[in-house]
Each structure stands twice: as structure tokens, then as C-alpha cells.
Amino acid sequence: MPVGIETISAYAIMGFIALALINIMLKSVRRMSIIIINVLLGGAMFIILNILGMKLTVNIFTVSAIGLLGIPGVVLVIIMKFILGVW
């Protein structure tokens, strides 16, 4: 069975598409793992600060800030509490 240029081209295109999809999936997994680690560290920092006596309020705004931003969210909550006197 002779292999024509169409067959070789089809395999090359499919290989390129497969490599592109693998690259996209690996980048998204890497980004998601960074986001998950940041959120977990932010939540741990929030809990540790509450245990140490900072008494940060747990409400929808603080949880949203920490859930979306992670460690910068904890810093934002601290700024809102002490500098602006919101909570």
C-alpha cells in the first residue's frame, strides 16, 4: 500500500494539533495549580492570623477577597481592618 503525500500531511497536521492541545492543557494545569496553592496559602494565613489574635471577621467579603486573591486578599483584609477601620 503506497503512502501518498495526503497521508503524510494528515499525520503531520494531526501531530501538530495533538502537540498544541497538550501544550495548552499543561499550561492550564500549571496556572490552576499556582492559583490553588495561592488560595490555600491565603486561607492558611487567614486562619493563623485569627489564631494569633488578629480577629479578622469571616464574612462574604473577606472570604471572597481571600478566595479570589489568596495572600494579597489577606493583606487587603488587614488593610481594610486596620487602616480603613471597615471590619
Side-chain angles (χ1 to χ4, degrees):
M1 181 164 115
V3 177
I5 191 72
E6 296 87 14
T7 307
I8 295 172
S9 298
Y11 281 118
I13 291 171
M14 289 304 295
F16 176 74
I17 291 172
L19 287 175
L21 287 174
I22 289 171
N23 190 17
I24 290 170
M25 286 189 285
L26 287 177
K27 285 184 180 179
S28 66
V29 167
R30 198 172 310 130
R31 286 183 191 141
M32 286 303 295
S33 64
I34 290 171
I35 290 170
I36 290 170
I37 289 170
N38 191 20
V39 168
L40 290 175
L41 288 175
M45 186 176 178
F46 183 79
I47 292 170
I48 290 170
L49 289 174
N50 273 331
I51 290 172
L52 293 176
M54 192 167 280
K55 302 299 180 206
L56 298 172
T57 308
V58 178
N59 57 32
I60 190 72
F61 301 110
T62 57
V63 171
S64 297
I66 294 169
L68 291 173
L69 300 174
I71 294 174
V74 174
V75 173
L76 177 68
V77 170
I78 293 170
I79 289 171
M80 296 288 282
K81 179 177 177 80
F82 289 111
I83 295 177
L84 300 177
V86 175
W87 292 298

